[in-house]
Amino acid sequence: MAKVLIVEDDGTIRTGIVRALTERGHVVAAAGTAMDGLKLAVAEAPDVVLLDLGLPDLDGREVLRMLRAVSAVPIIVVTARRTEGEMVRALDAGADDYVVKPYGAEQIDARIRAVLRRGAATAERPDPVIEADGVRIDPRGRTATLDGATLDLTPREFDLLHYLAARPGAVVSKRELLTEVWQVPYTAADKTVDVHLSWLRRKLGETAQEPRRLHTVRRVGVKFGLAP
């Protein structure tokens, strides 16, 4: 059971998802505007937030930034905006997951469980500090640096970098990354891993065409480490 805050302006969708998640044992609060959602986020201290981007008073990405500035609560964006650019901007602003409408209650419930499991595992995991090729990753502090400079990573980017760096030289498939880092079922059409890898490469100062640490092995996956 989790305390879930839904920020969704469509009354029909809001009512339906409140009912579905309540039936699955969650404690649910809901708001139809950005300002009401922000007030409930402070008052209710939810375990997870489901955030629509198309809100009537503020754009959802602005709400996302405001929430992320004051809280580490997992945020799942649920939106009709389906372009890769929209996904990238939301993830870069601090979203933990991105779901495109229409979606089913089972999918949302699974996504909620996944982000909560990741949070619990992070809190309990006594992983050692990783240092490789100028990158230093501290799992306990959830910080990463490149040549001594702090990397401004989203929570998911950090998890992705840490997972790959903990397996230097090993080719990790997208299926494994989705199931182990995102903890969601793999689908071939899911671009989540590609988007995060692209964003992570940019922050590491490299590209897919000129990689240094993140190397794509075509039709297999990606590996962390210097090129042979």
Side-chain angles (χ1 to χ4, degrees):
M1 183 182 72
K3 292 176 65 177
V4 182
L5 171 60
I6 300 168
V7 187
E8 165 65 63
D9 70 319
D10 187 308
T12 300
I13 294 176
R14 188 171 64 248
T15 299
I17 198 64
V18 166
R19 182 186 304 113
L21 292 180
T22 300
E23 289 173 352
R24 286 164 173 77
H26 299 295
V27 176
V28 185
T33 68
M35 295 310 298
D36 286 344
L38 289 168
K39 290 176 184 176
L40 283 174
V42 173
E44 300 292 334
D47 298 315
V48 61
V49 176
L50 305 183
L51 176 64
D52 182 27
L53 294 182
L55 298 170
D57 50 342
L58 284 175
D59 185 79
R61 286 199 305 273
E62 183 63 25
V63 180
L64 177 55
R65 294 188 186 94
M66 293 169 73
L67 283 172
R68 189 52 72 228
V70 298
S71 174
V73 62
I75 301 172
I76 302 173
V77 166
V78 286
T79 180
R81 302 177 187 177
R82 59 181 61 246
T83 67
E84 184 171 297
E86 288 287 355
M87 179 187 294
V88 168
R89 285 187 286 273
L91 294 170
D92 189 49
D96 293 272
D97 204 348
Y98 192 99
V99 180
V100 176
K101 298 176 182 176
Y103 54 83
E106 288 292 340
Q107 179 187 172
I108 286 296
D109 193 30
R111 301 271 184 166
I112 290 171
R113 294 196 305 270
V115 296
L116 293 178
R117 283 197 303 270
R118 286 195 294 271
T122 297
E124 297 171 1
R125 188 171 56 216
D127 292 336
V129 170
I130 297 172
E131 296 191 58
D133 189 29
V135 176
R136 185 179 190 275
I137 304 167
D138 179 359
R140 286 194 175 186
R142 290 188 64 80
T143 59
T145 60
L146 175 62
D147 297 330
T150 299
L151 288 168
D152 183 17
L153 303 179
T154 67
R156 192 67 68 251
E157 288 167 353
F158 180 88
D159 291 340
L160 177 59
L161 177 61
H162 177 243
Y163 191 87
L164 291 170
R167 295 158 180 79
V171 180
V172 182
S173 69
K174 293 180 183 178
R175 181 187 298 273
E176 180 178 343
L177 290 172
L178 271 177
T179 56
E180 296 298 326
V181 178
W182 276 262
Q183 297 185 8
V184 297
Y186 172 80
T187 62
D190 198 323
K191 299 298 183 182
T192 300
V193 174
D194 293 327
V195 170
H196 279 80
L197 282 172
S198 175
W199 215 246
L200 185 56
R201 281 189 173 107
R202 182 179 299 183
K203 293 183 178 181
L204 289 172
E206 58 188 78
T207 66
Q209 292 72 36
E210 297 183 2
R212 178 174 177 180
R213 301 169 186 86
L214 298 179
H215 302 272
T216 297
V217 180
R218 192 171 181 180
R219 296 194 180 94
V220 182
V222 62
K223 67 178 179 179
F224 179 92
L226 292 174

